Amino acid sequence: MNGTKTARLAMTGLASMILAIAVTACMPTRVVEETPGVVADRQVGQAEALSRKGDYKGAARSYEALAAQSPGELRDRFLLRASREYVRADDTAQATALLNQVSASLPRADFGLRSLVSAELALRGGRGDKALAELDRIPQPIPRELSPDVLEVRARALFALNRPAAGVTAALERERTLSSQEEIRANQLLIWQGLQKSAAGNADFTAPAGSSQTLTGWLDLGRAALGTARNPFSANEDIAQWRTRYPSHPANSMIAEDVLPQLNVGLNYPTQIALILPLSGRQQAAGMAVRDGFLAALLQQEASRRPLLNVYDSAEMGATTAYRRAVADGAQFVVGPLTKDEVTAIATSGETSVLTLALNQTNDNVSPPPMLFQFSLDPEEEARQVAQRVTADGRMRGLVLLPNNDWGQRVFRAFDTELKTLGGQIAGMKFYDPSARDYSQPITELLLINESRARANALFAALGTRMEFEPRRRGDAQFVFVGAQPVQGRSLRPALRFHMAEELAVYATSDIFEPDAQANNDLEGVIFPDMPWVISPDAASSELRTTLSRHWPVRARGRGRLYAFGFDACRIVPLLKAGQFGSAHAIPGMTGLLSIDENGHVKRELDWAKVSGGRATPLGTAATAAVQ
């Protein structure tokens, strides 16, 4: 699952089970008895075939159709299988919706699949601890047909929790359940990707006492794993040194046949690139930060392999004119422009003649041309990821507090839609004036404290006397989702605390946080997603942050995310050139785990942090437990 080739759930016996049910039912003739089972048998076979071909959504729809025409336990069984296929198709919202329709009382034989799907959804929601808890609910012994997938999810959860030794151990146990070389190679890539994730969390790669040479070698490889992902330009030497130390390790063939060729693909740039950005006018500062990040990545490439880069000022000559000039000058790949209006102008110009990575999105009513890809720091996608995290944390009913502007409206629509799809509910919401200094009114209205006071005043009036009174906030919410820039956030969070919302978990988008330990003391306890550039403690991210701070200290404080955005835009160019799309080709970038979907959008899976002592503390095992 999640981009790796996994062992498929065996469906042998399911068709005969359906036939048995049909035969034992009190039907008048033999023909009527057999027909439903034969039809179901054929539909199950079709769903299995679609899944084997990789058409997971098609398989899911087939299982949904079977569920709609099946009673009781069979309906639940098909809903579980449909939910699982939607997970494989990366449609977690639909997978969750179907899982919520499954009856709480299941036959023991279906416990394992329900826990497996629940664990996968928890893991994709950033909750590795919850994923492990779900897997631990599976009755022992684990059914043989489920064992490979259970061990895969267990390994991925352990890697996500920065426990690489346990993750590798689970994956090696999984390998013993596999039979083909193709499956074993996919399992090795699972370990490699897990090591990259653990390295990003600054995990300890020390091998436990008495570890096998195989486990020790894998953990030692973890020290080189992050460099290949975050910054592949200097990774070949680290891997070569590892291969010298472990010449007979089973990972050697995987490195030679998969990792190193992939590294070379990631370094294979077009010979000439055009970068179109606003380098004057209102957007000058943003354009320069993106340009500097792009150059920082490009300059790490060996001089002999470095492409020619021409930079064009879209503010000076206009985006479409700059695009025409770039193509006329011989650009084989165009990166930019930066603003939504500029991207829309390029998309509708009819002149997109080379591969183009736009650094924003087109307007909603515009269909981009085939050669145009879109990469943006999208607050709406962040809002959807917050909804996924909230529900993964088991908080299904909450409050929303957003600025009364276009940004707030867009964020609200994205969050509301995703939360409802996942089975959650907004108990109350308020838009506030972002220019205000005092947020007491929208907060007391959101928490229904004003209604509590009104009831008390009515009671005092009826009794003709006044009594000691303490207003109470509403008790039907488990969280507050706040949308704010840093200045507003540092006022909203203390105001929520003052108005008796201390025990409510507070979630936000990354906009609320900027690296300033003293100022962020007012954000204590806020949980938010952000790019590794901002919150990851790993060496590769730290090195680039230090470089930016040394050479451009002013830009580092105010434009760091855009610098990382430019760096990742440069990293994506070779992948687009090679046509490598989908979650199987995801790379851990500075702005998130990056992949390119079938619509040409670059997707960012963000890391999670909680403000503690004014700093963004990555949500690993301990921090995650602390927010429960």
Side-chain angles (χ1 to χ4, degrees), residues 239-289:
I239 291 180
Q241 291 176 358
W242 181 89
R243 298 183 75 187
T244 300
R245 292 194 298 274
Y246 298 93
S248 59
H249 194 278
N252 267 293
S253 62
M254 181 268 297
I255 288 173
E257 297 170 19
D258 292 287
V259 174
L260 291 177
Q262 182 64 30
L263 272 178
N264 289 329
V265 166
L267 300 175
N268 187 16
Y269 283 82
T271 56
Q272 184 171 327
I273 300 174
L275 183 59
I276 300 175
L277 294 168
L279 299 176
S280 58
R282 290 191 307 114
Q283 299 294 331
Q284 178 182 15
M288 291 176 67

Short mmCIF file of all heavy atoms in Angstrom, two decimals, residues 239-289:
data_model
loop_
_atom_site.label_atom_id
_atom_site.label_comp_id
_atom_site.label_asym_id
_atom_site.label_seq_id
_atom_site.Cartn_x
_atom_site.Cartn_y
_atom_site.Cartn_z
N ILE A 239 26.65 6.71 -0.39
CA ILE A 239 26.21 5.35 -0.73
C ILE A 239 27.40 4.47 -1.12
O ILE A 239 27.46 3.29 -0.76
CB ILE A 239 25.16 5.40 -1.85
CG1 ILE A 239 23.87 6.03 -1.30
CG2 ILE A 239 24.88 4.02 -2.42
CD1 ILE A 239 22.76 6.14 -2.30
N ALA A 240 28.34 5.03 -1.86
CA ALA A 240 29.53 4.26 -2.24
C ALA A 240 30.30 3.80 -1.01
O ALA A 240 30.78 2.65 -0.95
CB ALA A 240 30.43 5.11 -3.14
N GLN A 241 30.42 4.64 -0.02
CA GLN A 241 31.11 4.26 1.22
C GLN A 241 30.36 3.14 1.94
O GLN A 241 30.97 2.21 2.47
CB GLN A 241 31.26 5.48 2.13
CG GLN A 241 32.24 6.52 1.60
CD GLN A 241 32.28 7.76 2.47
OE1 GLN A 241 31.55 7.87 3.46
NE2 GLN A 241 33.13 8.72 2.10
N TRP A 242 29.04 3.21 1.95
CA TRP A 242 28.27 2.15 2.59
C TRP A 242 28.47 0.82 1.87
O TRP A 242 28.64 -0.23 2.52
CB TRP A 242 26.77 2.52 2.58
CG TRP A 242 25.91 1.48 3.25
CD1 TRP A 242 25.58 1.40 4.56
CD2 TRP A 242 25.31 0.34 2.62
NE1 TRP A 242 24.81 0.29 4.80
CE2 TRP A 242 24.62 -0.38 3.62
CE3 TRP A 242 25.28 -0.15 1.31
CZ2 TRP A 242 23.91 -1.55 3.35
CZ3 TRP A 242 24.58 -1.32 1.04
CH2 TRP A 242 23.90 -2.00 2.06
N ARG A 243 28.48 0.83 0.56
CA ARG A 243 28.64 -0.41 -0.20
C ARG A 243 30.01 -1.03 0.04
O ARG A 243 30.16 -2.25 0.01
CB ARG A 243 28.42 -0.14 -1.70
CG ARG A 243 27.01 0.36 -2.01
CD ARG A 243 26.80 0.54 -3.48
NE ARG A 243 26.62 -0.75 -4.15
CZ ARG A 243 26.54 -0.90 -5.45
NH1 ARG A 243 26.67 0.16 -6.25
NH2 ARG A 243 26.36 -2.09 -5.98
N THR A 244 31.00 -0.20 0.30
CA THR A 244 32.33 -0.72 0.64
C THR A 244 32.30 -1.43 1.99
O THR A 244 32.95 -2.47 2.17
CB THR A 244 33.36 0.43 0.69
OG1 THR A 244 33.39 1.05 -0.60
CG2 THR A 244 34.74 -0.09 1.04
N ARG A 245 31.55 -0.90 2.93
CA ARG A 245 31.46 -1.51 4.26
C ARG A 245 30.62 -2.78 4.27
O ARG A 245 30.85 -3.67 5.09
CB ARG A 245 30.86 -0.51 5.27
CG ARG A 245 31.76 0.68 5.57
CD ARG A 245 31.29 1.44 6.80
NE ARG A 245 29.96 2.01 6.66
CZ ARG A 245 29.70 3.19 6.13
NH1 ARG A 245 30.70 3.94 5.67
NH2 ARG A 245 28.47 3.65 6.05
N TYR A 246 29.63 -2.87 3.38
CA TYR A 246 28.71 -4.02 3.39
C TYR A 246 28.61 -4.62 1.98
O TYR A 246 27.56 -4.58 1.33
CB TYR A 246 27.32 -3.58 3.86
CG TYR A 246 27.29 -3.04 5.26
CD1 TYR A 246 27.42 -1.67 5.50
CD2 TYR A 246 27.13 -3.88 6.36
CE1 TYR A 246 27.39 -1.15 6.78
CE2 TYR A 246 27.10 -3.37 7.65
CZ TYR A 246 27.24 -2.01 7.85
OH TYR A 246 27.20 -1.51 9.14
N PRO A 247 29.69 -5.22 1.48
CA PRO A 247 29.70 -5.69 0.09
C PRO A 247 28.73 -6.84 -0.18
O PRO A 247 28.31 -7.03 -1.33
CB PRO A 247 31.15 -6.14 -0.12
CG PRO A 247 31.66 -6.43 1.26
CD PRO A 247 30.98 -5.46 2.16
N SER A 248 28.34 -7.60 0.84
CA SER A 248 27.45 -8.75 0.61
C SER A 248 26.05 -8.53 1.17
O SER A 248 25.27 -9.48 1.27
CB SER A 248 28.07 -10.01 1.24
OG SER A 248 28.27 -9.84 2.64
N HIS A 249 25.72 -7.32 1.56
CA HIS A 249 24.39 -7.04 2.13
C HIS A 249 23.32 -7.21 1.05
O HIS A 249 23.52 -6.83 -0.11
CB HIS A 249 24.36 -5.62 2.69
CG HIS A 249 23.19 -5.36 3.58
ND1 HIS A 249 21.94 -5.03 3.10
CD2 HIS A 249 23.07 -5.39 4.94
CE1 HIS A 249 21.11 -4.86 4.12
NE2 HIS A 249 21.78 -5.07 5.25
N PRO A 250 22.15 -7.77 1.41
CA PRO A 250 21.10 -7.98 0.39
C PRO A 250 20.57 -6.70 -0.24
O PRO A 250 19.93 -6.75 -1.30
CB PRO A 250 19.99 -8.70 1.18
CG PRO A 250 20.30 -8.48 2.63
CD PRO A 250 21.78 -8.35 2.71
N ALA A 251 20.83 -5.55 0.38
CA ALA A 251 20.34 -4.29 -0.20
C ALA A 251 21.18 -3.83 -1.38
O ALA A 251 20.78 -2.91 -2.10
CB ALA A 251 20.32 -3.19 0.87
N ASN A 252 22.34 -4.44 -1.61
CA ASN A 252 23.24 -3.96 -2.64
C ASN A 252 22.61 -3.98 -4.03
O ASN A 252 22.78 -3.03 -4.82
CB ASN A 252 24.54 -4.77 -2.64
CG ASN A 252 25.60 -4.12 -1.77
OD1 ASN A 252 26.09 -3.04 -2.09
ND2 ASN A 252 25.93 -4.76 -0.66
N SER A 253 21.90 -5.04 -4.36
CA SER A 253 21.31 -5.11 -5.70
C SER A 253 20.22 -4.06 -5.86
O SER A 253 20.07 -3.46 -6.93
CB SER A 253 20.76 -6.51 -5.97
OG SER A 253 19.73 -6.83 -5.04
N MET A 254 19.44 -3.84 -4.79
CA MET A 254 18.40 -2.81 -4.83
C MET A 254 19.02 -1.43 -5.05
O MET A 254 18.51 -0.63 -5.84
CB MET A 254 17.60 -2.85 -3.53
CG MET A 254 16.46 -1.84 -3.43
SD MET A 254 16.93 -0.25 -2.66
CE MET A 254 17.39 -0.75 -1.02
N ILE A 255 20.12 -1.16 -4.38
CA ILE A 255 20.79 0.13 -4.53
C ILE A 255 21.30 0.31 -5.96
O ILE A 255 21.12 1.36 -6.58
CB ILE A 255 21.95 0.25 -3.52
CG1 ILE A 255 21.38 0.42 -2.11
CG2 ILE A 255 22.86 1.42 -3.87
CD1 ILE A 255 22.42 0.37 -1.03
N ALA A 256 21.92 -0.76 -6.48
CA ALA A 256 22.49 -0.67 -7.83
C ALA A 256 21.42 -0.54 -8.90
O ALA A 256 21.59 0.21 -9.87
CB ALA A 256 23.36 -1.90 -8.09
N GLU A 257 20.31 -1.25 -8.73
CA GLU A 257 19.31 -1.32 -9.80
C GLU A 257 18.17 -0.32 -9.65
O GLU A 257 17.47 -0.02 -10.62
CB GLU A 257 18.73 -2.74 -9.86
CG GLU A 257 19.78 -3.79 -10.21
CD GLU A 257 19.27 -5.21 -10.03
OE1 GLU A 257 18.03 -5.39 -10.00
OE2 GLU A 257 20.10 -6.14 -9.91
N ASP A 258 17.96 0.19 -8.43
CA ASP A 258 16.83 1.10 -8.21
C ASP A 258 17.25 2.47 -7.68
O ASP A 258 16.87 3.50 -8.23
CB ASP A 258 15.82 0.47 -7.24
CG ASP A 258 15.12 -0.73 -7.83
OD1 ASP A 258 14.26 -0.54 -8.70
OD2 ASP A 258 15.43 -1.87 -7.43
N VAL A 259 18.04 2.47 -6.59
CA VAL A 259 18.35 3.73 -5.92
C VAL A 259 19.26 4.61 -6.76
O VAL A 259 18.97 5.79 -7.01
CB VAL A 259 18.96 3.47 -4.53
CG1 VAL A 259 19.43 4.79 -3.90
CG2 VAL A 259 17.95 2.78 -3.63
N LEU A 260 20.39 4.06 -7.22
CA LEU A 260 21.34 4.87 -7.96
C LEU A 260 20.77 5.35 -9.30
O LEU A 260 20.95 6.52 -9.66
CB LEU A 260 22.65 4.10 -8.17
CG LEU A 260 23.47 3.88 -6.89
CD1 LEU A 260 24.70 3.04 -7.19
CD2 LEU A 260 23.87 5.22 -6.27
N PRO A 261 20.08 4.50 -10.07
CA PRO A 261 19.45 5.02 -11.29
C PRO A 261 18.43 6.12 -11.00
O PRO A 261 18.34 7.10 -11.75
CB PRO A 261 18.77 3.78 -11.90
CG PRO A 261 19.57 2.63 -11.39
CD PRO A 261 19.97 3.03 -10.00
N GLN A 262 17.67 5.98 -9.90
CA GLN A 262 16.71 7.01 -9.55
C GLN A 262 17.41 8.30 -9.18
O GLN A 262 16.95 9.40 -9.51
CB GLN A 262 15.83 6.53 -8.39
CG GLN A 262 14.75 7.51 -7.96
CD GLN A 262 13.73 7.77 -9.05
OE1 GLN A 262 13.45 6.90 -9.86
NE2 GLN A 262 13.17 8.97 -9.08
N LEU A 263 18.54 8.17 -8.49
CA LEU A 263 19.33 9.36 -8.15
C LEU A 263 19.79 10.07 -9.43
O LEU A 263 19.75 11.30 -9.53
CB LEU A 263 20.56 8.97 -7.32
CG LEU A 263 20.39 8.90 -5.81
CD1 LEU A 263 21.69 8.45 -5.17
CD2 LEU A 263 19.96 10.24 -5.25
N ASN A 264 20.24 9.29 -10.39
CA ASN A 264 20.71 9.89 -11.64
C ASN A 264 19.57 10.56 -12.41
O ASN A 264 19.76 11.61 -13.03
CB ASN A 264 21.39 8.83 -12.51
CG ASN A 264 22.73 8.40 -11.93
OD1 ASN A 264 23.41 9.20 -11.29
ND2 ASN A 264 23.09 7.14 -12.12
N VAL A 265 18.36 9.94 -12.35
CA VAL A 265 17.19 10.58 -12.97
C VAL A 265 16.94 11.93 -12.32
O VAL A 265 16.64 12.92 -12.98
CB VAL A 265 15.95 9.68 -12.84
CG1 VAL A 265 14.68 10.46 -13.17
CG2 VAL A 265 16.07 8.48 -13.76
N GLY A 266 17.08 11.98 -10.99
CA GLY A 266 16.84 13.22 -10.25
C GLY A 266 17.87 14.29 -10.52
O GLY A 266 17.69 15.45 -10.12
N LEU A 267 18.97 13.94 -11.19
CA LEU A 267 20.01 14.91 -11.50
C LEU A 267 20.09 15.23 -12.99
O LEU A 267 20.95 15.99 -13.43
CB LEU A 267 21.37 14.38 -11.02
CG LEU A 267 21.49 14.10 -9.53
CD1 LEU A 267 22.83 13.46 -9.21
CD2 LEU A 267 21.31 15.36 -8.72
N ASN A 268 19.21 14.62 -13.77
CA ASN A 268 19.25 14.76 -15.23
C ASN A 268 18.36 15.92 -15.68
O ASN A 268 17.18 15.74 -15.99
CB ASN A 268 18.82 13.44 -15.89
CG ASN A 268 19.00 13.47 -17.39
OD1 ASN A 268 19.71 14.32 -17.92
ND2 ASN A 268 18.34 12.55 -18.07
N TYR A 269 18.94 17.09 -15.73
CA TYR A 269 18.20 18.29 -16.08
C TYR A 269 18.21 18.52 -17.60
O TYR A 269 19.11 18.05 -18.31
CB TYR A 269 18.81 19.52 -15.39
CG TYR A 269 18.46 19.63 -13.94
CD1 TYR A 269 19.15 18.92 -12.97
CD2 TYR A 269 17.41 20.45 -13.53
CE1 TYR A 269 18.81 19.01 -11.63
CE2 TYR A 269 17.07 20.56 -12.19
CZ TYR A 269 17.77 19.84 -11.25
OH TYR A 269 17.44 19.93 -9.92
N PRO A 270 17.22 19.28 -18.09
CA PRO A 270 17.31 19.75 -19.48
C PRO A 270 18.55 20.64 -19.62
O PRO A 270 19.06 21.18 -18.64
CB PRO A 270 16.03 20.57 -19.66
CG PRO A 270 15.13 20.16 -18.54
CD PRO A 270 16.01 19.75 -17.41
N THR A 271 19.01 20.82 -20.83
CA THR A 271 20.23 21.61 -21.01
C THR A 271 19.98 23.11 -20.85
O THR A 271 20.90 23.87 -20.56
CB THR A 271 20.83 21.36 -22.41
OG1 THR A 271 19.85 21.65 -23.40
CG2 THR A 271 21.30 19.92 -22.54
N GLN A 272 18.70 23.54 -21.01
CA GLN A 272 18.40 24.97 -20.84
C GLN A 272 17.04 25.14 -20.17
O GLN A 272 16.04 24.58 -20.61
CB GLN A 272 18.41 25.69 -22.20
CG GLN A 272 18.21 27.21 -22.08
CD GLN A 272 18.44 27.92 -23.39
OE1 GLN A 272 19.27 27.50 -24.20
NE2 GLN A 272 17.72 29.02 -23.63
N ILE A 273 17.03 25.92 -19.09
CA ILE A 273 15.82 26.16 -18.30
C ILE A 273 15.55 27.66 -18.25
O ILE A 273 16.49 28.46 -18.15
CB ILE A 273 15.96 25.61 -16.87
CG1 ILE A 273 16.22 24.11 -16.88
CG2 ILE A 273 14.72 25.92 -16.03
CD1 ILE A 273 16.51 23.53 -15.51
N ALA A 274 14.28 28.03 -18.30
CA ALA A 274 13.87 29.43 -18.10
C ALA A 274 13.14 29.55 -16.78
O ALA A 274 12.30 28.70 -16.44
CB ALA A 274 12.97 29.89 -19.24
N LEU A 275 13.44 30.60 -16.03
CA LEU A 275 12.78 30.87 -14.76
C LEU A 275 12.07 32.22 -14.88
O LEU A 275 12.71 33.25 -15.10
CB LEU A 275 13.81 30.90 -13.63
CG LEU A 275 13.30 31.09 -12.20
CD1 LEU A 275 12.33 29.98 -11.81
CD2 LEU A 275 14.48 31.13 -11.23
N ILE A 276 10.73 32.20 -14.80
CA ILE A 276 9.93 33.42 -14.97
C ILE A 276 9.34 33.82 -13.62
O ILE A 276 8.51 33.09 -13.05
CB ILE A 276 8.80 33.20 -16.00
CG1 ILE A 276 9.40 32.81 -17.36
CG2 ILE A 276 7.94 34.44 -16.14
CD1 ILE A 276 8.35 32.46 -18.40
N LEU A 277 9.77 34.96 -13.09
CA LEU A 277 9.35 35.42 -11.76
C LEU A 277 9.19 36.94 -11.75
O LEU A 277 9.86 37.64 -12.53
CB LEU A 277 10.39 35.02 -10.70
CG LEU A 277 10.59 33.54 -10.43
CD1 LEU A 277 11.83 33.32 -9.59
CD2 LEU A 277 9.36 32.95 -9.75
N PRO A 278 8.36 37.47 -10.84
CA PRO A 278 8.29 38.93 -10.68
C PRO A 278 9.49 39.42 -9.87
O PRO A 278 9.56 39.20 -8.67
CB PRO A 278 6.98 39.13 -9.91
CG PRO A 278 6.79 37.86 -9.14
CD PRO A 278 7.39 36.76 -9.98
N LEU A 279 10.43 40.07 -10.52
CA LEU A 279 11.65 40.54 -9.86
C LEU A 279 11.66 42.05 -9.69
O LEU A 279 12.69 42.65 -9.38
CB LEU A 279 12.87 40.06 -10.65
CG LEU A 279 12.99 38.54 -10.76
CD1 LEU A 279 14.16 38.14 -11.64
CD2 LEU A 279 13.11 37.89 -9.38
N SER A 280 10.50 42.66 -9.90
CA SER A 280 10.31 44.09 -9.63
C SER A 280 8.84 44.25 -9.26
O SER A 280 8.05 43.31 -9.38
CB SER A 280 10.69 44.93 -10.85
OG SER A 280 9.91 44.55 -11.98
N GLY A 281 8.48 45.43 -8.79
CA GLY A 281 7.08 45.67 -8.45
C GLY A 281 6.68 45.08 -7.11
O GLY A 281 7.50 44.74 -6.27
N ARG A 282 5.35 44.91 -6.91
CA ARG A 282 4.81 44.51 -5.61
C ARG A 282 5.26 43.13 -5.16
O ARG A 282 5.39 42.85 -3.97
CB ARG A 282 3.27 44.56 -5.65
CG ARG A 282 2.69 45.97 -5.72
CD ARG A 282 1.18 45.96 -5.50
NE ARG A 282 0.49 45.03 -6.40
CZ ARG A 282 -0.15 43.95 -5.99
NH1 ARG A 282 -0.18 43.63 -4.72
NH2 ARG A 282 -0.77 43.19 -6.87
N GLN A 283 5.45 42.22 -6.09
CA GLN A 283 5.81 40.84 -5.75
C GLN A 283 7.32 40.59 -5.83
O GLN A 283 7.76 39.45 -5.84
CB GLN A 283 5.09 39.87 -6.69
CG GLN A 283 3.57 39.94 -6.62
CD GLN A 283 3.04 39.48 -5.27
OE1 GLN A 283 3.65 38.65 -4.60
NE2 GLN A 283 1.91 40.03 -4.86
N GLN A 284 8.10 41.66 -5.83
CA GLN A 284 9.54 41.50 -6.01
C GLN A 284 10.18 40.65 -4.92
O GLN A 284 10.98 39.75 -5.22
CB GLN A 284 10.21 42.88 -6.03
CG GLN A 284 11.74 42.81 -6.18
CD GLN A 284 12.39 44.19 -6.14
OE1 GLN A 284 11.76 45.17 -5.74
NE2 GLN A 284 13.63 44.29 -6.56
N ALA A 285 9.85 40.90 -3.67
CA ALA A 285 10.48 40.16 -2.57
C ALA A 285 10.18 38.67 -2.66
O ALA A 285 11.06 37.83 -2.46
CB ALA A 285 10.00 40.72 -1.23
N ALA A 286 8.93 38.34 -2.98
CA ALA A 286 8.57 36.92 -3.13
C ALA A 286 9.31 36.29 -4.30
O ALA A 286 9.85 35.18 -4.19
CB ALA A 286 7.06 36.79 -3.32
N GLY A 287 9.35 36.99 -5.42
CA GLY A 287 10.05 36.46 -6.59
C GLY A 287 11.52 36.24 -6.34
O GLY A 287 12.09 35.21 -6.77
N MET A 288 12.16 37.16 -5.63
CA MET A 288 13.58 37.01 -5.35
C MET A 288 13.86 35.84 -4.41
O MET A 288 14.85 35.12 -4.56
CB MET A 288 14.13 38.31 -4.77
CG MET A 288 14.17 39.47 -5.77
SD MET A 288 14.71 41.03 -5.05
CE MET A 288 16.42 40.65 -4.65
N ALA A 289 12.97 35.61 -3.43
CA ALA A 289 13.16 34.49 -2.52
C ALA A 289 13.06 33.16 -3.27
O ALA A 289 13.86 32.24 -3.06
CB ALA A 289 12.13 34.55 -1.40
#
